Amino acid sequence: MSRFLKLMSILAIVALIAVPAFAEVQNVKVSGDIDSKMINRSNYDLGSGTSTATNNDNDTWFMSTTRVQIDADLTDNVSTCVRLLNERDWDVESATTTGINLDLSYVKLKEMFYAPLTVTIGRQNIRLGNGLVVGDPDTNDTRVASTITAQDLSVRKSFDAVRASFDYNPLVLDVLFAKVDARTIGTTNGNDESNLYGINAAYKFNQYNSEAEAYAIAKIDRGADTTPQATDKVYVYGVRGSLEPISKLVLNGELAMQRGDYVTSTTAKRDRDAWAADVAASYAIDYKWSPKVGVGYVYRSGNKATDTTGDYKAWDTMYEDQTHGIVANYIFDGINEGGDSNSQIITASASVVPVKDLTVAVDYYNFELAQKLTNLSVMGDIIMTDKKVLGQEVDLSLGYDYTEDVKLGLTAGFFLPGDAFSSVNDSTASTVMADVKVSF
């Protein structure tokens, strides 16, 4: 009995010592998702093009995206988040494709120094407004250092950043800094890097479910050229707003301008003078099948092919995270090439819910260049003309909520080239995707 009492006393002491080690963790949550896709892409170079064309085939493959996230609340005002990510094409086995990437890794400090201030430090998602300027560090057309074929479908959106949020309800002020491309540590060139700086003010009004934002964003790229390093600078100033003037009618718009220096060589620069605008309206009709319709207009300024001096007027895509057509989003992935830069886009959309948990949607896009390109110029493997009409795209999608945690999807997109493409690049490009996504 004496030995038993001693053992119980020792265990009690150990328990009392061990408990405080975990007392600071108030809550731990594990979540994630697995998204498996079948992808078919046909004729993504719109025809024969150049002899080096690689996207002309009809290809079908599978890919999976897996994410596991751990959120921990240490105290009422201190929390952490870590999310691991793997994106890979099926049956492509290597240390790179099966490796795990650090997607999120940040600490959030609420009421830091005083009540309105929240500071988030580390790898985090940052999206301002509708993603016109900030949303994806390498834009949503591609992913740097990715091994998947469909890089435009990557879910990686995180920045290595510090973000300070001042909540003066209904005004929220965000000040942020992100290291987008860091120099190689230990090298003699300490300026070869690209940084993001920004401030965003958002205000929510009491009427019409309305909001307004104003922002100033800077991209400073000191790695534009070889030594001596020329600094490419993009300063963006913009405003965005939305309101619901009548029930279920939502209007929104955004206007932004770019200033700064466009580097053409180590010794020459041009002033930037670019503009962007988004205007859209959507209406949810109170009727059976819950129909919803929408229209919109997108403008991104371009630089004339003959303008090689003076102000550079092509919109820099910055860190955009917008998709205007699932096929066009892949084809138009460069500055001044249409799509996200040098473009005018008219959009229309409609969706219905014919049966419970099933959504049917159609999206239409009409693309034109803001400024003509040079006749017979080459955009990747695609030969262009000096006409403005880029073409049209129709996307069809079905979404089914199989359960609360399982979603099934089927999407088809068709891009029909216009007169801006040469006769050898006037074939329809298409894609079909089927996916199953499980969230936990």
Side-chain angles (χ1 to χ4, degrees), residues 114-299:
Y114 81 123
L117 175 61
T118 296
V119 178
T120 307
I121 305 171
R123 182 163 293 181
Q124 57 191 283
N125 288 336
I126 300 177
R127 182 182 175 88
L128 301 182
N130 293 323
L132 169 63
V133 180
V134 178
D136 191 326
D138 43 28
T139 77
N140 80 336
D141 301 331
T142 186
R143 178 190 161 190
V144 176
S146 174
T147 58
I148 58 175
T149 303
Q151 295 185 14
D152 53 312
L153 301 181
S154 172
V155 299
R156 175 77 175 270
K157 308 289 183 182
S158 53
F159 293 80
D160 289 322
V162 178
R163 182 174 186 171
S165 299
F166 299 86
D167 189 352
Y168 304 110
N169 187 35
L171 172 67
V172 177
L173 182 66
D174 285 308
V175 180
L176 57 96
F177 163 79
K179 179 70 68 175
V180 179
D181 186 10
R183 70 181 180 90
T184 302
I185 298 174
T187 60
T188 57
N189 178 16
N191 291 323
D192 187 7
E193 59 185 10
S194 180
N195 296 326
L196 161 67
Y197 307 87
I199 183 170
N200 185 85
Y203 190 92
K204 288 191 176 182
F205 298 91
N206 294 326
Q207 292 183 314
Y208 304 117
N209 195 25
S210 57
E211 61 179 0
E213 288 185 82
Y215 54 82
I217 307 296
K219 179 175 74 171
I220 309 299
D221 186 358
R222 296 185 177 89
D225 287 284
T226 57
T227 304
Q229 291 292 331
T231 301
D232 194 275
K233 301 176 182 178
V234 187
Y235 302 112
V236 186
Y237 309 97
V239 292
R240 187 192 72 85
S242 66
L243 74 158
E244 190 175 351
I246 62 175
S247 178
K248 299 183 180 180
L249 172 64
V250 178
L251 308 176
N252 61 76
E254 186 166 1
L255 178 66
M257 66 177 181
Q258 289 183 342
R259 298 293 185 266
D261 297 326
Y262 173 69
V263 172
T264 56
S265 72
T266 56
T267 58
K269 300 179 182 180
R270 296 167 62 184
D271 291 335
R272 292 183 179 273
D273 183 14
W275 293 84
D278 288 348
V279 180
S282 63
Y283 184 58
I285 304 171
D286 189 9
Y287 194 67
K288 64 180 180 180
W289 289 15
S290 302
K292 185 177 181 179
V293 295
V295 293
Y297 174 75
V298 176
Y299 173 79

